[in-house]
Amino acid sequence: MPDFDPKLGKQMPPPPAAASNQDVGPGQDTTLAKEADHAGAHQPEPHKLDTTPEMTPSIGRELFVLFRDMVRKRKGWPMTRLAIAILVVLIGNMVGQVRLNQWNGAFFDAVEKRNASAFFEQLLVFVVIVAALLALVVAQTWLQERLKIRLRQRLTQILLDLWLKPNHAYQLGFMGEAARQPDQRLQEDCRLFSELSTELGVGMLQAFLLLVSFIGVLWTLSGATTFVIGGDEITIPGYMVWVAIGYAGIGSGLTWLVGRPLIRLNTLRYAREADLRFALVRVNESAESVSLYNGEDDERRNLDGFVEAVLKATRRLSGALARLTWITSGYGWLAIVVPILAAAPGYFSGRLSFGGMMMVVGAFNQVQAALRYFVDNFPKIADWRSAVLRVATFRQAAIDLEEATDENGKIDIQPHPKGWLSFEGLSIALSDGSILIEDATAEIRPGERVLIMGESGAGKSTLFRAIAELWPWGAGTIRLPPGHEMMFLPQRPYLPLGTLRAALSYPASPDTFDDAAIRAALERCGLGEFVDTLDRDERWDKTMSLGQQQRVAFARVLLHKPRWVFMDEATSALDEENQASMLSLFENELNGATVMSIGHRPGLEEFHTRTLHIRKTEEGAILLAKPRPRRAEHPQRRWIGSLRKRLGSTHRVHARSEG
């Protein structure tokens, strides 16, 4: 999805590529743009933030960093408690498994001797052991699921904190592949990381404890086995232990060789899935425009391409899984007879009873289960490893954002000592190195209403983003008024999910303003028909027209009463009457507020005290300060007078034509 910009309150598209139309900064009768060669000589190499990392970092280091972040500042104590509880349960389970293996020998000895009394006695012992193991397994399952939840909660909080730092959501769009699809990183990858980390971590710990317990049992039971080869006797102590280690080593080695491509293929598949989900969401969000253009066939062709990419990645993954299955399934089937074959010499020589052989086989199987954990879970390990790398690279991209910005030149943002707005030697660069603004110096004082006009597509909005601290790349200084006194109105306002009351109060909480104030703001902005729907939960960005959404933004301004208002085509969807009504807020209810507007609609100049016009010449772009227009007593009267004048002119034309 497009990056959400928390400061501007809307979904922001990627920044435009540098065009031939270059924007310049505000000034007062000053030429701000230089010739192209002169600009190039003074501008350092611009930011190049396509810092796509290769998927080759150390998995151990990435895990250490992620878990270090999760447990620092004692916020990881709930996870630590759960991990300790799981360890205690696993130790209890290990003791129960050892006792069950001992029972195995006694039970089959009773069967071999046809001792009915001992047989039924061992059945009672079995019930007690299984009841205890069952309780431990249930406890382990519950604790494991709770640990998954805690891990996901903490990891999601960390990534959200990094993603929603001021302006980061917008600027991360410049960090290349590592920061793409934050929705996937925060939802799917966090889920996979937490679930697979817990399952694999607990599984590996359990396998280790069982290995430590049963390797001693197996060593003792198998004893020293002697083989005669070429007339020479060879004695191997702990013979069954070495058989188990050798068998597991062969299986693990083959699994790694055959299954290693799964890590890369899993990463590729999740990337293609994310692309498809983004494309589907984009079509759904733009369904009206698609229908108006009759673009369904074109969208279908595009989506077919995304679907085919997913299917291609999945086909490659399925082939790799099928090849791996030859190893894992074959390994599992052979594991049924390998321990019996290995224990057979001791049984047939009379050194082992039937019950003793079953104990050896049981201990061998437990050692095998521990040693072959890697074999049985390799597909899951590959999936987990790719999820770890995706989460880690996203986290690192968010951390590296400020460093990358500093390396490529950064606009210095400082508070203005008098609470004004000023530009001092301001230069703004585009991503390809061309200059939008060079050496701009200007000052806007409280109470002024400044309009910046220019050709469409000239890049005026980049200045808007720079003031909002969204666009840091460039040089020079912007001195800002206090942040709590500023509010930004983009062309398409952001309406959060939830109630209309929440949309009007944004970014404050819905209960910040009382009903009377909210209703009055709606009425004042021509939205009286929505007064009775304040607490209705709807997709208001879909229910309302763009013009109504822009009036919601002005109602929001009326409620918050900022002293500085920055508007970027904020009235583009309004007719002249509604535009006049909204802008008259700054002459009445918000009189004294400072306004800086970007736009080129008719009638805007009359509402501003100063107009700065961008004009391009062969030598470069220049900024001309136009004189303040004569103002009518009231914007509504001015609009009515203008309308009457147009109507009268039209009437005279018709009269002459009829004559």
Side-chain angles (χ1 to χ4, degrees), residues 240-305:
M240 292 288 288
V241 172
W242 300 114
V243 173
I245 292 175
Y247 184 64
I250 292 172
S252 298
L254 290 174
T255 299
W256 173 250
L257 289 175
V258 176
R260 185 169 52 179
L262 283 175
I263 297 171
R264 176 177 52 82
L265 293 175
N266 267 309
T267 300
L268 178 64
R269 185 194 68 173
Y270 282 113
R272 298 292 82 81
E273 294 279 7
D275 290 340
L276 174 60
R277 183 169 59 246
F278 169 77
L280 291 170
V281 170
R282 188 170 183 273
V283 172
N284 182 56
E285 293 293 324
S286 306
E288 180 183 7
S289 298
V290 171
S291 298
L292 290 174
Y293 279 104
N294 293 322
E296 288 83 359
D297 291 340
D298 186 64
E299 294 298 336
R300 176 58 187 269
R301 285 193 297 272
N302 290 336
L303 291 176
D304 283 344

Side-chain angles (χ1 to χ4, degrees), residues 191-437:
R191 181 187 67 81
L192 284 172
F193 177 88
S194 59
E195 292 182 359
L196 294 179
S197 293
T198 302
E199 292 176 10
L200 293 173
V202 173
M204 288 179 180
L205 180 59
Q206 186 171 19
F208 174 75
L209 292 175
L210 289 175
L211 178 64
V212 170
S213 302
F214 281 96
I215 204 166
V217 173
L218 186 60
W219 185 283
T220 302
L221 291 175
S222 61
T225 302
T226 302
F227 295 93
V228 178
I229 301 177
D232 297 327
E233 291 187 352
I234 299 176
T235 302
I236 302 176
Y239 160 70
M240 292 288 288
V241 172
W242 300 114
V243 173
I245 292 175
Y247 184 64
I250 292 172
S252 298
L254 290 174
T255 299
W256 173 250
L257 289 175
V258 176
R260 185 169 52 179
L262 283 175
I263 297 171
R264 176 177 52 82
L265 293 175
N266 267 309
T267 300
L268 178 64
R269 185 194 68 173
Y270 282 113
R272 298 292 82 81
E273 294 279 7
D275 290 340
L276 174 60
R277 183 169 59 246
F278 169 77
L280 291 170
V281 170
R282 188 170 183 273
V283 172
N284 182 56
E285 293 293 324
S286 306
E288 180 183 7
S289 298
V290 171
S291 298
L292 290 174
Y293 279 104
N294 293 322
E296 288 83 359
D297 291 340
D298 186 64
E299 294 298 336
R300 176 58 187 269
R301 285 193 297 272
N302 290 336
L303 291 176
D304 283 344
F306 285 106
V307 171
E308 182 57 33
V310 170
L311 295 179
K312 181 179 178 181
T314 306
R315 281 193 292 268
R316 295 177 64 185
L317 182 64
S318 63
L321 283 171
R323 290 189 292 273
L324 183 62
T325 303
W326 284 99
I327 305 299
T328 55
S329 294
Y331 183 93
W333 288 111
L334 288 175
I336 296 175
V337 298
V338 167
I340 297 175
L341 290 174
Y347 176 71
F348 288 116
S349 66
R351 187 173 57 82
L352 290 175
S353 65
F354 182 64
M357 186 181 74
M358 296 309 295
M359 287 181 65
V360 170
V361 170
F364 184 94
N365 286 332
Q366 291 288 4
V367 172
Q368 270 296 293
L371 291 174
R372 77 178 191 184
Y373 186 84
F374 177 78
V375 176
D376 292 340
N377 291 277
F378 189 83
K380 188 180 291 186
I381 292 171
D383 203 4
W384 167 78
R385 191 174 187 272
S386 64
V388 171
L389 292 177
R390 289 194 303 274
V391 170
T393 52
F394 180 78
R395 170 194 168 276
Q396 195 59 45
I399 293 173
D400 290 345
L401 176 60
E402 293 184 8
E403 180 180 345
T405 301
D406 292 337
E407 289 177 355
N408 292 279
K410 185 176 182 180
I411 298 170
D412 185 20
I413 305 292
Q414 296 184 12
H416 196 288
K418 296 182 179 180
W420 300 354
L421 172 66
S422 67
F423 310 111
E424 300 174 7
L426 175 64
S427 297
I428 298 179
L430 283 179
S431 58
D432 69 345
S434 56
I435 308 301
L436 274 178
I437 301 174

Side-chain angles (χ1 to χ4, degrees), residues 618-639:
E618 293 181 359
E619 291 77 20
I622 60 174
L623 190 65
L624 301 177
K626 300 180 68 176
R628 174 180 175 179
R630 185 175 60 85
R631 301 171 57 82
E633 294 180 0
H634 191 278
Q636 292 291 344
R637 295 176 185 174
R638 180 175 63 252
W639 177 83

Side-chain angles (χ1 to χ4, degrees), residues 577-612:
E577 181 178 7
N578 276 300
Q579 175 179 278
S581 176
M582 295 302 98
L583 294 180
S584 68
L585 288 170
F586 302 112
E587 295 188 339
N588 299 302
E589 291 89 345
L590 299 175
N591 186 27
T594 308
V595 179
M596 178 177 168
S597 301
I598 294 173
H600 38 46
R601 288 200 59 199
L604 283 176
E605 293 181 69
E606 300 181 8
F607 290 91
H608 296 80
T609 58
R610 181 151 55 107
T611 300
L612 305 176

